[in-house]
Amino acid sequence: MAKTFTIGQFKKMSGLTARTLQYYDEIGLLAAKRTSSGHRYYQESDLWILQKIVSLKFLGFSLEEIADFIRKDTWNEKDSLIFQRDLMKKKREQLNDAIRLLSLAIDQIERGGTLHTDIFVSMINNVQMEDDHKSWMKSVVPSPYIDELFDRIKNNQEEIEKRAMDLFSRIKELAFSDPKSSAVEQLVTELIELAAEVAGDDFHTLETYFATDLEEDPWLFPYPFSPEEEKWLEQAMTYYKEKEE
């Protein structure tokens, strides 16, 4: 006689909730059997079906795709497999980005620095909305410049982010002091040097393009500084450029 399991036993073995098993039953993905009195139970063969479901869910397949998979003895959906593989690669990249940013924040604190929320959120946004940023920039600047810029950033992203977080934090801490002071001038010098390193030989070209007066999207580009801090920084930048000239 085939071995059977109650809902409680099956739930305990699978690690799934009773509600999840009930939902799978309702949509026909893993149908429970019924006793004469109406109680649900599962057979040993249902364990293999459940293993398929859990495995395919781990790979990111939808329940509809899983149901299609289970109905077939063989599966030749190469395009779907390729799509899921690429999707998992993307998720891996996102996890790596999240780990890198969290490590950056921890390092900032351990070195005795201040972790400013605005700066951290801005850096998360830069990673999270990279494709949107690239698309927006290409509407302003010829594509080759932008592709080279993002490739340059990717090649040295961790170091650039570390320097930027430290520099932006020090700018916040000196905000509203005398914009003509030597300490502020040093920060402005570092800021321009970092921008020049990131932009490379295209620095002045990109600076010219982005000088275009366009309406910025605060959701797409959250600024790491408050409007008051930004105004103060503009004063410091103006003084620096006038001095250089």
Side-chain angles (χ1 to χ4, degrees):
M1 182 177 178
K3 191 173 182 180
T4 61
F5 306 95
T6 64
I7 293 291
Q9 291 171 325
F10 206 68
K11 180 182 70 170
K12 186 175 181 180
M13 285 188 297
S14 66
L16 299 178
T17 65
R19 181 67 192 92
T20 299
L21 291 173
Q22 183 181 349
Y23 180 66
Y24 289 171
D25 186 15
E26 290 172 356
I27 64 176
L29 184 61
L30 181 60
K33 312 304 185 290
R34 297 294 195 280
T35 65
S36 57
S37 57
H39 291 99
R40 291 185 299 153
Y41 70 93
Y42 292 94
Q43 296 178 322
E44 198 166 10
S45 59
D46 293 323
L47 282 173
W48 172 232
I49 296 176
L50 184 60
Q51 286 176 342
K52 287 184 180 180
I53 295 171
V54 172
S55 298
L56 291 172
K57 275 180 65 66
F58 172 76
L59 293 178
F61 286 97
S62 68
L63 293 180
E64 184 178 354
E65 290 171 319
I66 293 172
D68 180 59
F69 182 96
I70 291 173
R71 284 194 296 266
K72 297 178 179 178
D73 293 329
T74 60
W75 207 38
N76 297 316
E77 301 294 336
K78 181 180 176 181
D79 289 342
S80 181
L81 291 170
I82 291 174
F83 173 79
Q84 289 303 133
R85 181 198 63 187
D86 294 343
L87 182 64
M88 295 303 287
K89 284 183 177 180
K90 185 68 175 177
K91 288 182 178 179
R92 181 177 63 188
E93 291 175 6
Q94 291 172 343
L95 282 174
N96 288 338
D97 287 334
I99 292 170
R100 188 187 69 253
L101 289 171
L102 288 169
S103 297
L104 178 67
I106 293 169
D107 180 66
Q108 173 74 4
I109 295 171
E110 289 180 342
R111 287 187 293 108
T114 302
L115 182 63
H116 294 277
T117 306
D118 291 345
I119 296 173
F120 192 45
V121 169
S122 177
M123 297 183 82
I124 293 172
N125 176 271
N126 287 335
V127 171
Q128 186 180 21
M129 304 188 72
E130 180 180 312
D131 292 339
D132 296 302
H133 290 173
K134 187 181 291 187
S135 177
W136 182 89
M137 289 180 182
K138 284 184 177 182
S139 70
V140 182
V141 182
S143 293
Y145 288 113
I146 300 305
D147 289 333
E148 289 177 12
L149 174 65
F150 276 82
D151 287 342
R152 193 178 299 114
I153 292 172
K154 279 290 185 185
N155 290 335
N156 199 25
Q157 189 164 11
E158 187 171 351
E159 179 61 25
I160 290 171
E161 288 171 341
K162 184 176 180 179
R163 289 174 61 188
M165 176 174 282
D166 177 67
L167 179 56
F168 292 168
S169 296
R170 286 188 286 132
I171 288 174
K172 274 186 173 290
E173 287 156 14
L174 274 182
F176 312 121
S177 61
D178 183 3
K180 298 181 180 180
S181 70
S182 59
V184 174
E185 184 178 347
Q186 176 61 33
L187 289 181
V188 171
T189 301
E190 290 182 44
L191 185 61
I192 292 175
E193 287 176 350
L194 178 60
E197 285 181 34
V198 172
D201 296 334
D202 300 325
F203 177 64
H204 294 296
T205 303
L206 293 170
E207 188 179 33
T208 300
Y209 277 116
F210 285 119
T212 307
D213 185 20
L214 293 175
E215 182 180 354
E216 294 186 10
D217 186 340
W219 171 257
L220 188 60
F221 296 100
Y223 205 55
F225 304 110
S226 68
E228 295 77 17
E229 290 170 337
E230 183 179 356
K231 186 176 180 179
W232 170 84
L233 184 57
E234 286 175 356
Q235 292 173 347
M237 294 286 289
T238 300
Y239 172 74
Y240 175 87
K241 290 181 179 179
E242 289 175 350
K243 187 175 179 181
E244 287 295 301
E245 291 172 358

